[in-house]
Amino acid sequence: MSPLQQEWTLLQQQHEQYERGALLIKLAGVTLFALGLAWRLGPHWLGLVALLLWVQEAVLKTYQARIGARLLRIEQGLLSAAASDRQDLAAFQLHSEWAASRPGGLALLAGYARSACKPTVAFPHALLLLASLALILR
């Protein structure tokens, strides 16, 4: 197995781990919301917990996206190497590539916000926030 194939295998496993982590954050949010309702916590607290978990998942998904970008580069490199029988992409460069393209503070926060707005990340957090708001307004 080539170094790029090894790297792809490792990063793919990590990409899937991030996906499982995101699912656990969603499940924790729903569970904590239900427990909070059962314990009659104030809707402000329920909304705050939902918001914090939403932000946490957005950060996690942003990290996952970095791995995904590297996976795509590796796949293109492997495809090019297979087509031309040469290799233009060095293996094990995830952090070097990220450091070279890392955005500054506000751009990094904007990246987290973009991740948070993706429907697969926003669900169920946005619904839990809306439910909290509905409880506050009633």
Side-chain angles (χ1 to χ4, degrees), residues 53-80:
L53 289 173
W54 190 357
V55 169
Q56 183 62 44
E57 185 180 349
V59 170
L60 183 93
K61 296 299 273 185
T62 302
Y63 293 161
Q64 183 189 36
R66 295 174 194 158
I67 291 174
R70 177 64 183 171
L71 282 166
L72 290 173
R73 285 209 7 95
I74 291 169
E75 288 176 3
Q76 288 301 312
L78 290 169
L79 185 62
S80 296

PDB file of all heavy atoms in Angstrom, residues 53-80:
ATOM      1  N   LEU A  53     -24.470  23.339  22.006  1.00  0.00           N
ATOM      2  CA  LEU A  53     -24.232  22.091  21.296  1.00  0.00           C
ATOM      3  C   LEU A  53     -24.206  22.314  19.786  1.00  0.00           C
ATOM      4  O   LEU A  53     -23.444  21.656  19.068  1.00  0.00           O
ATOM      5  CB  LEU A  53     -25.279  21.047  21.684  1.00  0.00           C
ATOM      6  CG  LEU A  53     -25.123  20.504  23.107  1.00  0.00           C
ATOM      7  CD1 LEU A  53     -26.295  19.617  23.482  1.00  0.00           C
ATOM      8  CD2 LEU A  53     -23.807  19.764  23.280  1.00  0.00           C
ATOM      9  N   TRP A  54     -25.007  23.234  19.296  1.00  0.00           N
ATOM     10  CA  TRP A  54     -25.006  23.571  17.872  1.00  0.00           C
ATOM     11  C   TRP A  54     -23.644  24.132  17.470  1.00  0.00           C
ATOM     12  O   TRP A  54     -23.053  23.726  16.470  1.00  0.00           O
ATOM     13  CB  TRP A  54     -26.112  24.561  17.585  1.00  0.00           C
ATOM     14  CG  TRP A  54     -26.402  24.841  16.138  1.00  0.00           C
ATOM     15  CD1 TRP A  54     -25.753  24.347  15.040  1.00  0.00           C
ATOM     16  CD2 TRP A  54     -27.427  25.684  15.634  1.00  0.00           C
ATOM     17  NE1 TRP A  54     -26.321  24.848  13.880  1.00  0.00           N
ATOM     18  CE2 TRP A  54     -27.351  25.665  14.222  1.00  0.00           C
ATOM     19  CE3 TRP A  54     -28.405  26.462  16.244  1.00  0.00           C
ATOM     20  CZ2 TRP A  54     -28.215  26.395  13.418  1.00  0.00           C
ATOM     21  CZ3 TRP A  54     -29.273  27.180  15.445  1.00  0.00           C
ATOM     22  CH2 TRP A  54     -29.175  27.139  14.040  1.00  0.00           C
ATOM     23  N   VAL A  55     -23.126  25.051  18.269  1.00  0.00           N
ATOM     24  CA  VAL A  55     -21.805  25.629  17.983  1.00  0.00           C
ATOM     25  C   VAL A  55     -20.729  24.550  18.056  1.00  0.00           C
ATOM     26  O   VAL A  55     -19.836  24.489  17.203  1.00  0.00           O
ATOM     27  CB  VAL A  55     -21.502  26.799  18.949  1.00  0.00           C
ATOM     28  CG1 VAL A  55     -20.054  27.242  18.848  1.00  0.00           C
ATOM     29  CG2 VAL A  55     -22.439  27.969  18.683  1.00  0.00           C
ATOM     30  N   GLN A  56     -20.821  23.678  19.052  1.00  0.00           N
ATOM     31  CA  GLN A  56     -19.835  22.609  19.174  1.00  0.00           C
ATOM     32  C   GLN A  56     -19.851  21.704  17.950  1.00  0.00           C
ATOM     33  O   GLN A  56     -18.798  21.335  17.423  1.00  0.00           O
ATOM     34  CB  GLN A  56     -20.103  21.781  20.439  1.00  0.00           C
ATOM     35  CG  GLN A  56     -19.074  20.716  20.667  1.00  0.00           C
ATOM     36  CD  GLN A  56     -17.679  21.274  20.865  1.00  0.00           C
ATOM     37  OE1 GLN A  56     -17.494  22.243  21.583  1.00  0.00           O
ATOM     38  NE2 GLN A  56     -16.698  20.673  20.230  1.00  0.00           N
ATOM     39  N   GLU A  57     -21.041  21.385  17.460  1.00  0.00           N
ATOM     40  CA  GLU A  57     -21.108  20.543  16.270  1.00  0.00           C
ATOM     41  C   GLU A  57     -20.563  21.282  15.049  1.00  0.00           C
ATOM     42  O   GLU A  57     -19.902  20.679  14.196  1.00  0.00           O
ATOM     43  CB  GLU A  57     -22.533  20.068  16.001  1.00  0.00           C
ATOM     44  CG  GLU A  57     -22.572  19.101  14.836  1.00  0.00           C
ATOM     45  CD  GLU A  57     -23.948  18.572  14.499  1.00  0.00           C
ATOM     46  OE1 GLU A  57     -24.896  18.775  15.269  1.00  0.00           O
ATOM     47  OE2 GLU A  57     -24.051  17.940  13.428  1.00  0.00           O
ATOM     48  N   ALA A  58     -20.830  22.578  14.961  1.00  0.00           N
ATOM     49  CA  ALA A  58     -20.312  23.354  13.829  1.00  0.00           C
ATOM     50  C   ALA A  58     -18.785  23.340  13.812  1.00  0.00           C
ATOM     51  O   ALA A  58     -18.167  23.198  12.750  1.00  0.00           O
ATOM     52  CB  ALA A  58     -20.829  24.793  13.886  1.00  0.00           C
ATOM     53  N   VAL A  59     -18.174  23.475  14.969  1.00  0.00           N
ATOM     54  CA  VAL A  59     -16.712  23.414  15.056  1.00  0.00           C
ATOM     55  C   VAL A  59     -16.225  22.024  14.642  1.00  0.00           C
ATOM     56  O   VAL A  59     -15.288  21.890  13.846  1.00  0.00           O
ATOM     57  CB  VAL A  59     -16.228  23.777  16.479  1.00  0.00           C
ATOM     58  CG1 VAL A  59     -14.754  23.489  16.656  1.00  0.00           C
ATOM     59  CG2 VAL A  59     -16.537  25.245  16.782  1.00  0.00           C
ATOM     60  N   LEU A  60     -16.871  20.989  15.151  1.00  0.00           N
ATOM     61  CA  LEU A  60     -16.500  19.625  14.805  1.00  0.00           C
ATOM     62  C   LEU A  60     -16.621  19.387  13.299  1.00  0.00           C
ATOM     63  O   LEU A  60     -15.737  18.806  12.681  1.00  0.00           O
ATOM     64  CB  LEU A  60     -17.390  18.643  15.570  1.00  0.00           C
ATOM     65  CG  LEU A  60     -17.060  17.176  15.363  1.00  0.00           C
ATOM     66  CD1 LEU A  60     -16.096  16.709  16.441  1.00  0.00           C
ATOM     67  CD2 LEU A  60     -18.336  16.362  15.427  1.00  0.00           C
ATOM     68  N   LYS A  61     -17.710  19.866  12.696  1.00  0.00           N
ATOM     69  CA  LYS A  61     -17.912  19.666  11.262  1.00  0.00           C
ATOM     70  C   LYS A  61     -16.905  20.476  10.439  1.00  0.00           C
ATOM     71  O   LYS A  61     -16.537  20.068   9.336  1.00  0.00           O
ATOM     72  CB  LYS A  61     -19.343  20.021  10.861  1.00  0.00           C
ATOM     73  CG  LYS A  61     -20.398  19.120  11.483  1.00  0.00           C
ATOM     74  CD  LYS A  61     -20.242  17.675  11.092  1.00  0.00           C
ATOM     75  CE  LYS A  61     -20.967  17.391   9.811  1.00  0.00           C
ATOM     76  NZ  LYS A  61     -20.964  15.995   9.428  1.00  0.00           N
ATOM     77  N   THR A  62     -16.442  21.594  10.977  1.00  0.00           N
ATOM     78  CA  THR A  62     -15.411  22.361  10.287  1.00  0.00           C
ATOM     79  C   THR A  62     -14.102  21.577  10.275  1.00  0.00           C
ATOM     80  O   THR A  62     -13.418  21.515   9.254  1.00  0.00           O
ATOM     81  CB  THR A  62     -15.213  23.740  10.955  1.00  0.00           C
ATOM     82  OG1 THR A  62     -16.464  24.435  10.945  1.00  0.00           O
ATOM     83  CG2 THR A  62     -14.185  24.575  10.220  1.00  0.00           C
ATOM     84  N   TYR A  63     -13.757  20.973  11.392  1.00  0.00           N
ATOM     85  CA  TYR A  63     -12.573  20.111  11.431  1.00  0.00           C
ATOM     86  C   TYR A  63     -12.727  18.962  10.444  1.00  0.00           C
ATOM     87  O   TYR A  63     -11.794  18.617   9.718  1.00  0.00           O
ATOM     88  CB  TYR A  63     -12.346  19.536  12.831  1.00  0.00           C
ATOM     89  CG  TYR A  63     -11.966  20.525  13.894  1.00  0.00           C
ATOM     90  CD1 TYR A  63     -12.128  20.208  15.231  1.00  0.00           C
ATOM     91  CD2 TYR A  63     -11.445  21.775  13.594  1.00  0.00           C
ATOM     92  CE1 TYR A  63     -11.785  21.098  16.232  1.00  0.00           C
ATOM     93  CE2 TYR A  63     -11.098  22.671  14.584  1.00  0.00           C
ATOM     94  CZ  TYR A  63     -11.268  22.330  15.902  1.00  0.00           C
ATOM     95  OH  TYR A  63     -10.928  23.191  16.893  1.00  0.00           O
ATOM     96  N   GLN A  64     -13.915  18.364  10.420  1.00  0.00           N
ATOM     97  CA  GLN A  64     -14.169  17.257   9.504  1.00  0.00           C
ATOM     98  C   GLN A  64     -14.004  17.715   8.054  1.00  0.00           C
ATOM     99  O   GLN A  64     -13.474  16.976   7.226  1.00  0.00           O
ATOM    100  CB  GLN A  64     -15.570  16.696   9.726  1.00  0.00           C
ATOM    101  CG  GLN A  64     -15.865  15.497   8.856  1.00  0.00           C
ATOM    102  CD  GLN A  64     -17.319  15.087   8.920  1.00  0.00           C
ATOM    103  OE1 GLN A  64     -18.208  15.925   9.021  1.00  0.00           O
ATOM    104  NE2 GLN A  64     -17.556  13.784   8.864  1.00  0.00           N
ATOM    105  N   ALA A  65     -14.445  18.922   7.758  1.00  0.00           N
ATOM    106  CA  ALA A  65     -14.331  19.440   6.396  1.00  0.00           C
ATOM    107  C   ALA A  65     -12.868  19.569   5.974  1.00  0.00           C
ATOM    108  O   ALA A  65     -12.536  19.358   4.800  1.00  0.00           O
ATOM    109  CB  ALA A  65     -15.038  20.786   6.277  1.00  0.00           C
ATOM    110  N   ARG A  66     -12.001  19.896   6.906  1.00  0.00           N
ATOM    111  CA  ARG A  66     -10.568  19.973   6.589  1.00  0.00           C
ATOM    112  C   ARG A  66     -10.044  18.602   6.176  1.00  0.00           C
ATOM    113  O   ARG A  66      -9.283  18.479   5.209  1.00  0.00           O
ATOM    114  CB  ARG A  66      -9.781  20.475   7.792  1.00  0.00           C
ATOM    115  CG  ARG A  66     -10.108  21.893   8.171  1.00  0.00           C
ATOM    116  CD  ARG A  66      -9.403  22.275   9.441  1.00  0.00           C
ATOM    117  NE  ARG A  66      -9.989  23.500   9.963  1.00  0.00           N
ATOM    118  CZ  ARG A  66      -9.927  23.886  11.207  1.00  0.00           C
ATOM    119  NH1 ARG A  66      -9.268  23.149  12.088  1.00  0.00           N
ATOM    120  NH2 ARG A  66     -10.486  25.001  11.603  1.00  0.00           N
ATOM    121  N   ILE A  67     -10.451  17.591   6.904  1.00  0.00           N
ATOM    122  CA  ILE A  67     -10.043  16.231   6.550  1.00  0.00           C
ATOM    123  C   ILE A  67     -10.644  15.851   5.200  1.00  0.00           C
ATOM    124  O   ILE A  67      -9.976  15.245   4.365  1.00  0.00           O
ATOM    125  CB  ILE A  67     -10.455  15.236   7.653  1.00  0.00           C
ATOM    126  CG1 ILE A  67      -9.615  15.483   8.913  1.00  0.00           C
ATOM    127  CG2 ILE A  67     -10.293  13.795   7.183  1.00  0.00           C
ATOM    128  CD1 ILE A  67     -10.037  14.669  10.107  1.00  0.00           C
ATOM    129  N   GLY A  68     -11.898  16.231   4.992  1.00  0.00           N
ATOM    130  CA  GLY A  68     -12.552  15.930   3.722  1.00  0.00           C
ATOM    131  C   GLY A  68     -11.844  16.575   2.543  1.00  0.00           C
ATOM    132  O   GLY A  68     -11.688  15.950   1.483  1.00  0.00           O
ATOM    133  N   ALA A  69     -11.387  17.807   2.732  1.00  0.00           N
ATOM    134  CA  ALA A  69     -10.659  18.486   1.652  1.00  0.00           C
ATOM    135  C   ALA A  69      -9.362  17.745   1.331  1.00  0.00           C
ATOM    136  O   ALA A  69      -9.001  17.577   0.158  1.00  0.00           O
ATOM    137  CB  ALA A  69     -10.372  19.933   2.044  1.00  0.00           C
ATOM    138  N   ARG A  70      -8.675  17.290   2.350  1.00  0.00           N
ATOM    139  CA  ARG A  70      -7.437  16.534   2.122  1.00  0.00           C
ATOM    140  C   ARG A  70      -7.747  15.196   1.447  1.00  0.00           C
ATOM    141  O   ARG A  70      -7.023  14.776   0.532  1.00  0.00           O
ATOM    142  CB  ARG A  70      -6.698  16.318   3.444  1.00  0.00           C
ATOM    143  CG  ARG A  70      -5.440  15.492   3.333  1.00  0.00           C
ATOM    144  CD  ARG A  70      -4.367  16.122   2.486  1.00  0.00           C
ATOM    145  NE  ARG A  70      -3.226  15.219   2.373  1.00  0.00           N
ATOM    146  CZ  ARG A  70      -2.212  15.397   1.570  1.00  0.00           C
ATOM    147  NH1 ARG A  70      -2.151  16.453   0.786  1.00  0.00           N
ATOM    148  NH2 ARG A  70      -1.229  14.529   1.524  1.00  0.00           N
ATOM    149  N   LEU A  71      -8.818  14.544   1.863  1.00  0.00           N
ATOM    150  CA  LEU A  71      -9.208  13.290   1.221  1.00  0.00           C
ATOM    151  C   LEU A  71      -9.457  13.490  -0.273  1.00  0.00           C
ATOM    152  O   LEU A  71      -9.033  12.672  -1.096  1.00  0.00           O
ATOM    153  CB  LEU A  71     -10.466  12.715   1.885  1.00  0.00           C
ATOM    154  CG  LEU A  71     -10.254  11.994   3.212  1.00  0.00           C
ATOM    155  CD1 LEU A  71     -11.577  11.777   3.920  1.00  0.00           C
ATOM    156  CD2 LEU A  71      -9.523  10.687   3.015  1.00  0.00           C
ATOM    157  N   LEU A  72     -10.114  14.577  -0.620  1.00  0.00           N
ATOM    158  CA  LEU A  72     -10.372  14.849  -2.038  1.00  0.00           C
ATOM    159  C   LEU A  72      -9.070  15.080  -2.803  1.00  0.00           C
ATOM    160  O   LEU A  72      -8.911  14.610  -3.927  1.00  0.00           O
ATOM    161  CB  LEU A  72     -11.302  16.052  -2.182  1.00  0.00           C
ATOM    162  CG  LEU A  72     -12.747  15.812  -1.734  1.00  0.00           C
ATOM    163  CD1 LEU A  72     -13.531  17.118  -1.761  1.00  0.00           C
ATOM    164  CD2 LEU A  72     -13.412  14.753  -2.599  1.00  0.00           C
ATOM    165  N   ARG A  73      -8.114  15.802  -2.177  1.00  0.00           N
ATOM    166  CA  ARG A  73      -6.820  16.015  -2.837  1.00  0.00           C
ATOM    167  C   ARG A  73      -6.088  14.688  -3.033  1.00  0.00           C
ATOM    168  O   ARG A  73      -5.493  14.446  -4.075  1.00  0.00           O
ATOM    169  CB  ARG A  73      -5.943  16.984  -2.038  1.00  0.00           C
ATOM    170  CG  ARG A  73      -6.404  18.405  -2.181  1.00  0.00           C
ATOM    171  CD  ARG A  73      -5.362  19.490  -2.053  1.00  0.00           C
ATOM    172  NE  ARG A  73      -3.973  19.198  -1.950  1.00  0.00           N
ATOM    173  CZ  ARG A  73      -3.110  19.179  -2.985  1.00  0.00           C
ATOM    174  NH1 ARG A  73      -3.524  19.389  -4.207  1.00  0.00           N
ATOM    175  NH2 ARG A  73      -1.835  18.942  -2.783  1.00  0.00           N
ATOM    176  N   ILE A  74      -6.135  13.844  -2.032  1.00  0.00           N
ATOM    177  CA  ILE A  74      -5.478  12.537  -2.143  1.00  0.00           C
ATOM    178  C   ILE A  74      -6.132  11.716  -3.246  1.00  0.00           C
ATOM    179  O   ILE A  74      -5.433  11.096  -4.062  1.00  0.00           O
ATOM    180  CB  ILE A  74      -5.521  11.785  -0.793  1.00  0.00           C
ATOM    181  CG1 ILE A  74      -4.621  12.483   0.232  1.00  0.00           C
ATOM    182  CG2 ILE A  74      -5.102  10.324  -0.959  1.00  0.00           C
ATOM    183  CD1 ILE A  74      -4.790  11.974   1.645  1.00  0.00           C
ATOM    184  N   GLU A  75      -7.449  11.711  -3.278  1.00  0.00           N
ATOM    185  CA  GLU A  75      -8.140  10.945  -4.311  1.00  0.00           C
ATOM    186  C   GLU A  75      -7.777  11.446  -5.703  1.00  0.00           C
ATOM    187  O   GLU A  75      -7.557  10.642  -6.619  1.00  0.00           O
ATOM    188  CB  GLU A  75      -9.647  10.997  -4.086  1.00  0.00           C
ATOM    189  CG  GLU A  75     -10.082  10.178  -2.885  1.00  0.00           C
ATOM    190  CD  GLU A  75     -11.553  10.286  -2.571  1.00  0.00           C
ATOM    191  OE1 GLU A  75     -12.300  10.963  -3.322  1.00  0.00           O
ATOM    192  OE2 GLU A  75     -11.983   9.683  -1.576  1.00  0.00           O
ATOM    193  N   GLN A  76      -7.696  12.767  -5.868  1.00  0.00           N
ATOM    194  CA  GLN A  76      -7.293  13.309  -7.169  1.00  0.00           C
ATOM    195  C   GLN A  76      -5.855  12.927  -7.492  1.00  0.00           C
ATOM    196  O   GLN A  76      -5.531  12.601  -8.627  1.00  0.00           O
ATOM    197  CB  GLN A  76      -7.465  14.834  -7.193  1.00  0.00           C
ATOM    198  CG  GLN A  76      -8.912  15.276  -7.246  1.00  0.00           C
ATOM    199  CD  GLN A  76      -9.614  14.731  -8.469  1.00  0.00           C
ATOM    200  OE1 GLN A  76      -9.130  14.804  -9.582  1.00  0.00           O
ATOM    201  NE2 GLN A  76     -10.785  14.142  -8.250  1.00  0.00           N
ATOM    202  N   GLY A  77      -4.987  12.969  -6.474  1.00  0.00           N
ATOM    203  CA  GLY A  77      -3.595  12.577  -6.680  1.00  0.00           C
ATOM    204  C   GLY A  77      -3.466  11.106  -7.051  1.00  0.00           C
ATOM    205  O   GLY A  77      -2.679  10.749  -7.924  1.00  0.00           O
ATOM    206  N   LEU A  78      -4.241  10.264  -6.375  1.00  0.00           N
ATOM    207  CA  LEU A  78      -4.214   8.839  -6.697  1.00  0.00           C
ATOM    208  C   LEU A  78      -4.754   8.584  -8.101  1.00  0.00           C
ATOM    209  O   LEU A  78      -4.220   7.752  -8.834  1.00  0.00           O
ATOM    210  CB  LEU A  78      -5.014   8.042  -5.668  1.00  0.00           C
ATOM    211  CG  LEU A  78      -4.394   7.950  -4.274  1.00  0.00           C
ATOM    212  CD1 LEU A  78      -5.384   7.366  -3.278  1.00  0.00           C
ATOM    213  CD2 LEU A  78      -3.107   7.145  -4.291  1.00  0.00           C
ATOM    214  N   LEU A  79      -5.782   9.331  -8.475  1.00  0.00           N
ATOM    215  CA  LEU A  79      -6.345   9.186  -9.815  1.00  0.00           C
ATOM    216  C   LEU A  79      -5.338   9.641 -10.869  1.00  0.00           C
ATOM    217  O   LEU A  79      -5.129   8.952 -11.874  1.00  0.00           O
ATOM    218  CB  LEU A  79      -7.640   9.997  -9.927  1.00  0.00           C
ATOM    219  CG  LEU A  79      -8.425   9.871 -11.217  1.00  0.00           C
ATOM    220  CD1 LEU A  79      -8.898   8.442 -11.416  1.00  0.00           C
ATOM    221  CD2 LEU A  79      -9.610  10.823 -11.182  1.00  0.00           C
ATOM    222  N   SER A  80      -4.691  10.778 -10.632  1.00  0.00           N
ATOM    223  CA  SER A  80      -3.672  11.274 -11.565  1.00  0.00           C
ATOM    224  C   SER A  80      -2.502  10.313 -11.664  1.00  0.00           C
ATOM    225  O   SER A  80      -1.981  10.061 -12.746  1.00  0.00           O
ATOM    226  CB  SER A  80      -3.157  12.646 -11.126  1.00  0.00           C
ATOM    227  OG  SER A  80      -4.185  13.601 -11.167  1.00  0.00           O
TER     228      SER A  80
END
